[in-house]
PDB file of all heavy atoms in Angstrom:
ATOM      1  N   ASN A   1      46.296 -34.954  94.319  1.00  0.00           N
ATOM      2  CA  ASN A   1      44.909 -35.233  94.629  1.00  0.00           C
ATOM      3  C   ASN A   1      44.097 -33.989  94.968  1.00  0.00           C
ATOM      4  O   ASN A   1      42.886 -33.920  94.660  1.00  0.00           O
ATOM      5  CB  ASN A   1      44.830 -36.219  95.843  1.00  0.00           C
ATOM      6  CG  ASN A   1      45.371 -37.575  95.494  1.00  0.00           C
ATOM      7  OD1 ASN A   1      45.316 -37.988  94.307  1.00  0.00           O
ATOM      8  ND2 ASN A   1      45.880 -38.299  96.488  1.00  0.00           N
ATOM      9  N   SER A   2      44.716 -33.016  95.581  1.00  0.00           N
ATOM     10  CA  SER A   2      44.029 -31.783  95.972  1.00  0.00           C
ATOM     11  C   SER A   2      44.330 -30.590  95.011  1.00  0.00           C
ATOM     12  O   SER A   2      44.024 -29.462  95.288  1.00  0.00           O
ATOM     13  CB  SER A   2      44.410 -31.379  97.374  1.00  0.00           C
ATOM     14  OG  SER A   2      45.807 -31.114  97.483  1.00  0.00           O
ATOM     15  N   GLY A   3      44.931 -30.909  93.852  1.00  0.00           N
ATOM     16  CA  GLY A   3      45.279 -29.870  92.944  1.00  0.00           C
ATOM     17  C   GLY A   3      44.088 -29.119  92.419  1.00  0.00           C
ATOM     18  O   GLY A   3      44.117 -27.876  92.223  1.00  0.00           O
ATOM     19  N   PHE A   4      43.041 -29.842  92.113  1.00  0.00           N
ATOM     20  CA  PHE A   4      41.810 -29.195  91.575  1.00  0.00           C
ATOM     21  C   PHE A   4      41.281 -28.204  92.578  1.00  0.00           C
ATOM     22  O   PHE A   4      40.886 -27.075  92.206  1.00  0.00           O
ATOM     23  CB  PHE A   4      40.770 -30.269  91.267  1.00  0.00           C
ATOM     24  CG  PHE A   4      39.417 -29.708  90.883  1.00  0.00           C
ATOM     25  CD1 PHE A   4      39.199 -29.147  89.611  1.00  0.00           C
ATOM     26  CD2 PHE A   4      38.386 -29.695  91.837  1.00  0.00           C
ATOM     27  CE1 PHE A   4      37.954 -28.653  89.294  1.00  0.00           C
ATOM     28  CE2 PHE A   4      37.145 -29.155  91.493  1.00  0.00           C
ATOM     29  CZ  PHE A   4      36.929 -28.645  90.241  1.00  0.00           C
ATOM     30  N   TRP A   5      41.191 -28.604  93.878  1.00  0.00           N
ATOM     31  CA  TRP A   5      40.622 -27.714  94.873  1.00  0.00           C
ATOM     32  C   TRP A   5      41.517 -26.478  95.130  1.00  0.00           C
ATOM     33  O   TRP A   5      41.046 -25.394  95.402  1.00  0.00           O
ATOM     34  CB  TRP A   5      40.332 -28.469  96.157  1.00  0.00           C
ATOM     35  CG  TRP A   5      39.392 -29.629  95.952  1.00  0.00           C
ATOM     36  CD1 TRP A   5      39.683 -30.962  95.979  1.00  0.00           C
ATOM     37  CD2 TRP A   5      38.037 -29.517  95.661  1.00  0.00           C
ATOM     38  NE1 TRP A   5      38.570 -31.713  95.704  1.00  0.00           N
ATOM     39  CE2 TRP A   5      37.477 -30.806  95.502  1.00  0.00           C
ATOM     40  CE3 TRP A   5      37.128 -28.429  95.448  1.00  0.00           C
ATOM     41  CZ2 TRP A   5      36.192 -31.057  95.187  1.00  0.00           C
ATOM     42  CZ3 TRP A   5      35.795 -28.711  95.161  1.00  0.00           C
ATOM     43  CH2 TRP A   5      35.338 -30.017  95.006  1.00  0.00           C
ATOM     44  N   TRP A   6      42.836 -26.704  95.078  1.00  0.00           N
ATOM     45  CA  TRP A   6      43.733 -25.570  95.240  1.00  0.00           C
ATOM     46  C   TRP A   6      43.540 -24.580  94.094  1.00  0.00           C
ATOM     47  O   TRP A   6      43.520 -23.371  94.299  1.00  0.00           O
ATOM     48  CB  TRP A   6      45.187 -26.056  95.270  1.00  0.00           C
ATOM     49  CG  TRP A   6      45.603 -26.515  96.626  1.00  0.00           C
ATOM     50  CD1 TRP A   6      45.797 -27.789  97.030  1.00  0.00           C
ATOM     51  CD2 TRP A   6      45.941 -25.699  97.765  1.00  0.00           C
ATOM     52  NE1 TRP A   6      46.198 -27.883  98.355  1.00  0.00           N
ATOM     53  CE2 TRP A   6      46.294 -26.606  98.806  1.00  0.00           C
ATOM     54  CE3 TRP A   6      45.948 -24.348  97.986  1.00  0.00           C
ATOM     55  CZ2 TRP A   6      46.651 -26.163 100.061  1.00  0.00           C
ATOM     56  CZ3 TRP A   6      46.345 -23.903  99.248  1.00  0.00           C
ATOM     57  CH2 TRP A   6      46.664 -24.774 100.266  1.00  0.00           C
ATOM     58  N   THR A   7      43.379 -25.083  92.919  1.00  0.00           N
ATOM     59  CA  THR A   7      43.164 -24.200  91.759  1.00  0.00           C
ATOM     60  C   THR A   7      41.819 -23.445  91.866  1.00  0.00           C
ATOM     61  O   THR A   7      41.752 -22.252  91.630  1.00  0.00           O
ATOM     62  CB  THR A   7      43.218 -25.041  90.465  1.00  0.00           C
ATOM     63  OG1 THR A   7      44.427 -25.745  90.384  1.00  0.00           O
ATOM     64  CG2 THR A   7      43.046 -24.101  89.253  1.00  0.00           C
ATOM     65  N   MET A   8      40.761 -24.184  92.239  1.00  0.00           N
ATOM     66  CA  MET A   8      39.442 -23.547  92.365  1.00  0.00           C
ATOM     67  C   MET A   8      39.476 -22.490  93.471  1.00  0.00           C
ATOM     68  O   MET A   8      38.901 -21.418  93.332  1.00  0.00           O
ATOM     69  CB  MET A   8      38.382 -24.578  92.622  1.00  0.00           C
ATOM     70  CG  MET A   8      38.114 -25.487  91.431  1.00  0.00           C
ATOM     71  SD  MET A   8      37.545 -24.613  89.933  1.00  0.00           S
ATOM     72  CE  MET A   8      35.984 -24.013  90.536  1.00  0.00           C
ATOM     73  N   GLY A   9      40.152 -22.817  94.549  1.00  0.00           N
ATOM     74  CA  GLY A   9      40.218 -21.857  95.655  1.00  0.00           C
ATOM     75  C   GLY A   9      40.965 -20.586  95.274  1.00  0.00           C
ATOM     76  O   GLY A   9      40.549 -19.487  95.625  1.00  0.00           O
ATOM     77  N   SER A  10      42.070 -20.774  94.557  1.00  0.00           N
ATOM     78  CA  SER A  10      42.829 -19.601  94.134  1.00  0.00           C
ATOM     79  C   SER A  10      42.008 -18.749  93.144  1.00  0.00           C
ATOM     80  O   SER A  10      42.044 -17.506  93.182  1.00  0.00           O
ATOM     81  CB  SER A  10      44.176 -19.982  93.514  1.00  0.00           C
ATOM     82  OG  SER A  10      43.924 -20.773  92.349  1.00  0.00           O
ATOM     83  N   MET A  11      41.327 -19.420  92.271  1.00  0.00           N
ATOM     84  CA  MET A  11      40.457 -18.671  91.354  1.00  0.00           C
ATOM     85  C   MET A  11      39.354 -17.927  92.064  1.00  0.00           C
ATOM     86  O   MET A  11      39.057 -16.746  91.773  1.00  0.00           O
ATOM     87  CB  MET A  11      39.841 -19.594  90.288  1.00  0.00           C
ATOM     88  CG  MET A  11      40.896 -20.268  89.360  1.00  0.00           C
ATOM     89  SD  MET A  11      40.216 -21.507  88.269  1.00  0.00           S
ATOM     90  CE  MET A  11      39.192 -20.532  87.230  1.00  0.00           C
ATOM     91  N   LEU A  12      38.724 -18.612  93.047  1.00  0.00           N
ATOM     92  CA  LEU A  12      37.697 -17.951  93.806  1.00  0.00           C
ATOM     93  C   LEU A  12      38.229 -16.791  94.616  1.00  0.00           C
ATOM     94  O   LEU A  12      37.611 -15.697  94.705  1.00  0.00           O
ATOM     95  CB  LEU A  12      37.007 -18.987  94.747  1.00  0.00           C
ATOM     96  CG  LEU A  12      35.876 -18.480  95.637  1.00  0.00           C
ATOM     97  CD1 LEU A  12      34.738 -17.889  94.759  1.00  0.00           C
ATOM     98  CD2 LEU A  12      35.339 -19.539  96.531  1.00  0.00           C
ATOM     99  N   LEU A  13      39.372 -16.978  95.267  1.00  0.00           N
ATOM    100  CA  LEU A  13      39.964 -15.908  96.038  1.00  0.00           C
ATOM    101  C   LEU A  13      40.336 -14.716  95.131  1.00  0.00           C
ATOM    102  O   LEU A  13      40.106 -13.541  95.524  1.00  0.00           O
ATOM    103  CB  LEU A  13      41.250 -16.421  96.730  1.00  0.00           C
ATOM    104  CG  LEU A  13      42.018 -15.413  97.577  1.00  0.00           C
ATOM    105  CD1 LEU A  13      41.133 -14.879  98.671  1.00  0.00           C
ATOM    106  CD2 LEU A  13      43.288 -16.027  98.101  1.00  0.00           C
ATOM    107  N   THR A  14      40.886 -15.001  93.970  1.00  0.00           N
ATOM    108  CA  THR A  14      41.176 -13.915  93.007  1.00  0.00           C
ATOM    109  C   THR A  14      39.910 -13.140  92.606  1.00  0.00           C
ATOM    110  O   THR A  14      39.909 -11.908  92.577  1.00  0.00           O
ATOM    111  CB  THR A  14      41.908 -14.474  91.768  1.00  0.00           C
ATOM    112  OG1 THR A  14      43.091 -15.199  92.177  1.00  0.00           O
ATOM    113  CG2 THR A  14      42.239 -13.374  90.826  1.00  0.00           C
ATOM    114  N   ALA A  15      38.861 -13.886  92.336  1.00  0.00           N
ATOM    115  CA  ALA A  15      37.585 -13.225  91.954  1.00  0.00           C
ATOM    116  C   ALA A  15      37.028 -12.379  93.065  1.00  0.00           C
ATOM    117  O   ALA A  15      36.556 -11.244  92.847  1.00  0.00           O
ATOM    118  CB  ALA A  15      36.570 -14.270  91.502  1.00  0.00           C
ATOM    119  N   VAL A  16      37.099 -12.916  94.317  1.00  0.00           N
ATOM    120  CA  VAL A  16      36.567 -12.159  95.450  1.00  0.00           C
ATOM    121  C   VAL A  16      37.372 -10.895  95.721  1.00  0.00           C
ATOM    122  O   VAL A  16      36.854  -9.812  95.927  1.00  0.00           O
ATOM    123  CB  VAL A  16      36.523 -13.056  96.716  1.00  0.00           C
ATOM    124  CG1 VAL A  16      36.201 -12.247  97.969  1.00  0.00           C
ATOM    125  CG2 VAL A  16      35.484 -14.157  96.515  1.00  0.00           C
ATOM    126  N   VAL A  17      38.698 -11.028  95.661  1.00  0.00           N
ATOM    127  CA  VAL A  17      39.572  -9.875  95.923  1.00  0.00           C
ATOM    128  C   VAL A  17      39.326  -8.768  94.870  1.00  0.00           C
ATOM    129  O   VAL A  17      39.206  -7.583  95.179  1.00  0.00           O
ATOM    130  CB  VAL A  17      41.041 -10.326  95.951  1.00  0.00           C
ATOM    131  CG1 VAL A  17      41.959  -9.084  95.962  1.00  0.00           C
ATOM    132  CG2 VAL A  17      41.312 -11.154  97.168  1.00  0.00           C
ATOM    133  N   LEU A  18      39.254  -9.168  93.590  1.00  0.00           N
ATOM    134  CA  LEU A  18      39.019  -8.186  92.537  1.00  0.00           C
ATOM    135  C   LEU A  18      37.648  -7.546  92.642  1.00  0.00           C
ATOM    136  O   LEU A  18      37.464  -6.362  92.424  1.00  0.00           O
ATOM    137  CB  LEU A  18      39.200  -8.827  91.179  1.00  0.00           C
ATOM    138  CG  LEU A  18      40.653  -9.238  90.807  1.00  0.00           C
ATOM    139  CD1 LEU A  18      40.680  -9.944  89.464  1.00  0.00           C
ATOM    140  CD2 LEU A  18      41.517  -7.960  90.745  1.00  0.00           C
ATOM    141  N   SER A  19      36.636  -8.406  93.037  1.00  0.00           N
ATOM    142  CA  SER A  19      35.299  -7.872  93.188  1.00  0.00           C
ATOM    143  C   SER A  19      35.202  -6.821  94.294  1.00  0.00           C
ATOM    144  O   SER A  19      34.620  -5.771  94.149  1.00  0.00           O
ATOM    145  CB  SER A  19      34.276  -8.980  93.444  1.00  0.00           C
ATOM    146  OG  SER A  19      34.243  -9.907  92.356  1.00  0.00           O
ATOM    147  N   VAL A  20      35.852  -7.149  95.456  1.00  0.00           N
ATOM    148  CA  VAL A  20      35.878  -6.236  96.544  1.00  0.00           C
ATOM    149  C   VAL A  20      36.619  -4.931  96.171  1.00  0.00           C
ATOM    150  O   VAL A  20      36.185  -3.838  96.494  1.00  0.00           O
ATOM    151  CB  VAL A  20      36.480  -6.856  97.812  1.00  0.00           C
ATOM    152  CG1 VAL A  20      36.695  -5.843  98.926  1.00  0.00           C
ATOM    153  CG2 VAL A  20      35.620  -7.996  98.300  1.00  0.00           C
ATOM    154  N   LEU A  21      37.720  -5.090  95.452  1.00  0.00           N
ATOM    155  CA  LEU A  21      38.510  -3.930  95.017  1.00  0.00           C
ATOM    156  C   LEU A  21      37.695  -3.050  94.077  1.00  0.00           C
ATOM    157  O   LEU A  21      37.656  -1.806  94.253  1.00  0.00           O
ATOM    158  CB  LEU A  21      39.786  -4.387  94.345  1.00  0.00           C
ATOM    159  CG  LEU A  21      40.687  -3.301  93.793  1.00  0.00           C
ATOM    160  CD1 LEU A  21      41.190  -2.408  94.934  1.00  0.00           C
ATOM    161  CD2 LEU A  21      41.866  -3.876  93.043  1.00  0.00           C
ATOM    162  N   PHE A  22      37.047  -3.644  93.095  1.00  0.00           N
ATOM    163  CA  PHE A  22      36.276  -2.858  92.157  1.00  0.00           C
ATOM    164  C   PHE A  22      35.035  -2.246  92.839  1.00  0.00           C
ATOM    165  O   PHE A  22      34.587  -1.153  92.506  1.00  0.00           O
ATOM    166  CB  PHE A  22      35.820  -3.723  90.988  1.00  0.00           C
ATOM    167  CG  PHE A  22      36.976  -4.130  90.071  1.00  0.00           C
ATOM    168  CD1 PHE A  22      36.889  -5.267  89.289  1.00  0.00           C
ATOM    169  CD2 PHE A  22      38.131  -3.364  90.034  1.00  0.00           C
ATOM    170  CE1 PHE A  22      37.943  -5.639  88.501  1.00  0.00           C
ATOM    171  CE2 PHE A  22      39.194  -3.710  89.231  1.00  0.00           C
ATOM    172  CZ  PHE A  22      39.109  -4.853  88.446  1.00  0.00           C
ATOM    173  N   TRP A  23      34.468  -2.931  93.843  1.00  0.00           N
ATOM    174  CA  TRP A  23      33.305  -2.403  94.527  1.00  0.00           C
ATOM    175  C   TRP A  23      33.700  -1.188  95.367  1.00  0.00           C
ATOM    176  O   TRP A  23      32.964  -0.187  95.424  1.00  0.00           O
ATOM    177  CB  TRP A  23      32.698  -3.483  95.423  1.00  0.00           C
ATOM    178  CG  TRP A  23      31.407  -3.027  96.075  1.00  0.00           C
ATOM    179  CD1 TRP A  23      31.258  -2.497  97.303  1.00  0.00           C
ATOM    180  CD2 TRP A  23      30.113  -3.083  95.475  1.00  0.00           C
ATOM    181  NE1 TRP A  23      29.972  -2.217  97.552  1.00  0.00           N
ATOM    182  CE2 TRP A  23      29.217  -2.547  96.408  1.00  0.00           C
ATOM    183  CE3 TRP A  23      29.625  -3.529  94.233  1.00  0.00           C
ATOM    184  CZ2 TRP A  23      27.825  -2.457  96.180  1.00  0.00           C
ATOM    185  CZ3 TRP A  23      28.259  -3.441  94.029  1.00  0.00           C
ATOM    186  CH2 TRP A  23      27.408  -2.881  94.980  1.00  0.00           C
ATOM    187  N   ARG A  24      34.848  -1.243  96.012  1.00  0.00           N
ATOM    188  CA  ARG A  24      35.309  -0.115  96.815  1.00  0.00           C
ATOM    189  C   ARG A  24      35.661   1.065  95.917  1.00  0.00           C
ATOM    190  O   ARG A  24      35.513   2.237  96.346  1.00  0.00           O
ATOM    191  CB  ARG A  24      36.540  -0.504  97.633  1.00  0.00           C
ATOM    192  CG  ARG A  24      36.222  -1.492  98.773  1.00  0.00           C
ATOM    193  CD  ARG A  24      37.470  -1.811  99.566  1.00  0.00           C
ATOM    194  NE  ARG A  24      38.054  -0.641 100.159  1.00  0.00           N
ATOM    195  CZ  ARG A  24      37.715  -0.171 101.369  1.00  0.00           C
ATOM    196  NH1 ARG A  24      36.741  -0.765 102.083  1.00  0.00           N
ATOM    197  NH2 ARG A  24      38.298   0.917 101.860  1.00  0.00           N
ATOM    198  N   LYS A  25      36.089   0.836  94.684  1.00  0.00           N
ATOM    199  CA  LYS A  25      36.384   1.900  93.773  1.00  0.00           C
ATOM    200  C   LYS A  25      35.145   2.325  92.999  1.00  0.00           C
ATOM    201  O   LYS A  25      35.234   3.152  92.100  1.00  0.00           O
ATOM    202  CB  LYS A  25      37.496   1.481  92.794  1.00  0.00           C
ATOM    203  CG  LYS A  25      38.850   1.381  93.450  1.00  0.00           C
ATOM    204  CD  LYS A  25      39.887   1.009  92.411  1.00  0.00           C
ATOM    205  CE  LYS A  25      41.306   1.003  93.065  1.00  0.00           C
ATOM    206  NZ  LYS A  25      41.718   2.362  93.447  1.00  0.00           N
ATOM    207  N   ARG A  26      34.004   1.778  93.360  1.00  0.00           N
ATOM    208  CA  ARG A  26      32.702   2.106  92.759  1.00  0.00           C
ATOM    209  C   ARG A  26      32.644   1.787  91.279  1.00  0.00           C
ATOM    210  O   ARG A  26      31.849   2.395  90.543  1.00  0.00           O
ATOM    211  CB  ARG A  26      32.382   3.589  92.973  1.00  0.00           C
ATOM    212  CG  ARG A  26      32.450   4.066  94.400  1.00  0.00           C
ATOM    213  CD  ARG A  26      31.345   3.377  95.234  1.00  0.00           C
ATOM    214  NE  ARG A  26      31.417   3.787  96.614  1.00  0.00           N
ATOM    215  CZ  ARG A  26      30.766   4.840  97.129  1.00  0.00           C
ATOM    216  NH1 ARG A  26      29.997   5.568  96.319  1.00  0.00           N
ATOM    217  NH2 ARG A  26      30.832   5.136  98.371  1.00  0.00           N
ATOM    218  N   TYR A  27      33.432   0.812  90.826  1.00  0.00           N
ATOM    219  CA  TYR A  27      33.312   0.390  89.425  1.00  0.00           C
ATOM    220  C   TYR A  27      32.077  -0.474  89.177  1.00  0.00           C
ATOM    221  O   TYR A  27      31.641  -0.592  88.035  1.00  0.00           O
ATOM    222  CB  TYR A  27      34.513  -0.402  89.005  1.00  0.00           C
ATOM    223  CG  TYR A  27      35.829   0.420  88.967  1.00  0.00           C
ATOM    224  CD1 TYR A  27      37.072  -0.234  88.994  1.00  0.00           C
ATOM    225  CD2 TYR A  27      35.783   1.802  88.951  1.00  0.00           C
ATOM    226  CE1 TYR A  27      38.260   0.552  88.964  1.00  0.00           C
ATOM    227  CE2 TYR A  27      36.948   2.549  88.924  1.00  0.00           C
ATOM    228  CZ  TYR A  27      38.174   1.934  88.936  1.00  0.00           C
ATOM    229  OH  TYR A  27      39.304   2.634  88.938  1.00  0.00           O
ATOM    230  N   LEU A  28      31.551  -1.079  90.235  1.00  0.00           N
ATOM    231  CA  LEU A  28      30.385  -1.929  90.106  1.00  0.00           C
ATOM    232  C   LEU A  28      29.144  -1.311  90.679  1.00  0.00           C
ATOM    233  O   LEU A  28      28.109  -1.941  90.846  1.00  0.00           O
ATOM    234  CB  LEU A  28      30.621  -3.277  90.826  1.00  0.00           C
ATOM    235  CG  LEU A  28      31.710  -4.175  90.192  1.00  0.00           C
ATOM    236  CD1 LEU A  28      31.941  -5.419  91.040  1.00  0.00           C
ATOM    237  CD2 LEU A  28      31.325  -4.565  88.769  1.00  0.00           C
ATOM    238  N   ALA A  29      29.205  -0.009  91.046  1.00  0.00           N
ATOM    239  CA  ALA A  29      28.056   0.712  91.652  1.00  0.00           C
ATOM    240  C   ALA A  29      27.332   1.489  90.578  1.00  0.00           C
ATOM    241  O   ALA A  29      27.896   1.908  89.538  1.00  0.00           O
ATOM    242  CB  ALA A  29      28.486   1.636  92.758  1.00  0.00           C
ATOM    243  N   ARG A  30      26.035   1.691  90.744  1.00  0.00           N
ATOM    244  CA  ARG A  30      25.240   2.472  89.832  1.00  0.00           C
ATOM    245  C   ARG A  30      25.562   3.970  89.990  1.00  0.00           C
ATOM    246  O   ARG A  30      25.989   4.423  91.061  1.00  0.00           O
ATOM    247  CB  ARG A  30      23.758   2.273  90.069  1.00  0.00           C
ATOM    248  CG  ARG A  30      23.260   0.885  89.656  1.00  0.00           C
ATOM    249  CD  ARG A  30      21.774   0.735  89.884  1.00  0.00           C
ATOM    250  NE  ARG A  30      21.275  -0.517  89.409  1.00  0.00           N
ATOM    251  CZ  ARG A  30      20.822  -0.765  88.214  1.00  0.00           C
ATOM    252  NH1 ARG A  30      20.811   0.192  87.314  1.00  0.00           N
ATOM    253  NH2 ARG A  30      20.384  -1.932  87.873  1.00  0.00           N
ATOM    254  N   THR A  31      25.297   4.709  88.948  1.00  0.00           N
ATOM    255  CA  THR A  31      25.557   6.156  89.004  1.00  0.00           C
ATOM    256  C   THR A  31      24.703   6.819  90.059  1.00  0.00           C
ATOM    257  O   THR A  31      25.124   7.741  90.760  1.00  0.00           O
ATOM    258  CB  THR A  31      25.293   6.812  87.661  1.00  0.00           C
ATOM    259  OG1 THR A  31      26.127   6.161  86.680  1.00  0.00           O
ATOM    260  CG2 THR A  31      25.638   8.299  87.665  1.00  0.00           C
ATOM    261  N   GLY A  32      23.464   6.399  90.183  1.00  0.00           N
ATOM    262  CA  GLY A  32      22.571   7.020  91.190  1.00  0.00           C
ATOM    263  C   GLY A  32      22.951   6.750  92.587  1.00  0.00           C
ATOM    264  O   GLY A  32      22.490   7.421  93.517  1.00  0.00           O
ATOM    265  N   GLU A  33      23.800   5.754  92.880  1.00  0.00           N
ATOM    266  CA  GLU A  33      24.206   5.369  94.220  1.00  0.00           C
ATOM    267  C   GLU A  33      25.522   6.022  94.576  1.00  0.00           C
ATOM    268  O   GLU A  33      26.027   5.831  95.666  1.00  0.00           O
ATOM    269  CB  GLU A  33      24.292   3.867  94.333  1.00  0.00           C
ATOM    270  CG  GLU A  33      22.949   3.185  94.116  1.00  0.00           C
ATOM    271  CD  GLU A  33      23.081   1.657  94.128  1.00  0.00           C
ATOM    272  OE1 GLU A  33      24.238   1.210  94.226  1.00  0.00           O
ATOM    273  OE2 GLU A  33      22.070   0.966  94.026  1.00  0.00           O
ATOM    274  N   ARG A  34      26.176   6.712  93.657  1.00  0.00           N
ATOM    275  CA  ARG A  34      27.478   7.243  93.930  1.00  0.00           C
ATOM    276  C   ARG A  34      27.388   8.510  94.773  1.00  0.00           C
ATOM    277  O   ARG A  34      26.467   9.268  94.632  1.00  0.00           O
ATOM    278  CB  ARG A  34      28.159   7.573  92.578  1.00  0.00           C
ATOM    279  CG  ARG A  34      28.370   6.318  91.750  1.00  0.00           C
ATOM    280  CD  ARG A  34      29.061   6.611  90.434  1.00  0.00           C
ATOM    281  NE  ARG A  34      30.424   7.052  90.684  1.00  0.00           N
ATOM    282  CZ  ARG A  34      31.305   7.363  89.719  1.00  0.00           C
ATOM    283  NH1 ARG A  34      30.919   7.269  88.469  1.00  0.00           N
ATOM    284  NH2 ARG A  34      32.512   7.746  90.000  1.00  0.00           N
TER     285      ARG A  34
END
């Protein structure tokens, strides 16, 4: 019954973790802000 929400949560967590990782490595920052 909760499989859908577990899947969506894991997908969201994966996206957030990767976004934070890429942001800290400045992969998502503009050149002028570096």
Side-chain angles (χ1 to χ4, degrees):
N1 292 333
S2 59
F4 172 77
W5 300 109
W6 279 104
T7 303
M8 293 299 296
S10 62
M11 293 173 67
L12 180 61
L13 179 61
T14 302
V16 171
V17 169
L18 290 176
S19 297
V20 172
L21 178 63
F22 291 156
W23 186 265
R24 289 180 63 87
K25 289 183 176 293
R26 305 296 178 89
Y27 293 162
L28 294 176
R30 290 181 177 271
T31 302
E33 298 174 356
R34 298 181 66 178

